[in-house]
Amino acid sequence: MSAGTSAAQMIKQVVTTLKMTPVFEAVSIPFVQQFLDDDKRTRSACAFARRSR
């Protein structure tokens, strides 16, 4: 439910151990599946407007 935030925290430990520089900036989109259609493309803004009414 945290949009992969905990997984990102775990991989940062591995990355720093390998002397790589982790990127701390991220945009988490919770429940991203609700924004995708059956072909895994983003739905149109019209669909979101109808849903919010």
Side-chain angles (χ1 to χ4, degrees), residues 28-49:
S28 298
I29 304 174
F31 309 107
V32 71
Q33 292 83 8
Q34 70 183 347
F35 301 114
L36 303 176
D37 63 11
D38 293 335
D39 296 324
K40 304 296 182 202
R41 293 179 293 181
T42 56
R43 296 181 186 169
S44 68
C46 295
F48 297 124

Side-chain angles (χ1 to χ4, degrees), residues 3 5 10 13 20-22 27 30 32 35 40 43 45 50-51:
T5 305
M10 296 293 282
Q13 295 175 0
M20 299 170 71
T21 305
V27 177
V32 71
F35 301 114
K40 304 296 182 202
R43 296 181 186 169
R50 285 192 301 256
R51 188 180 226 184

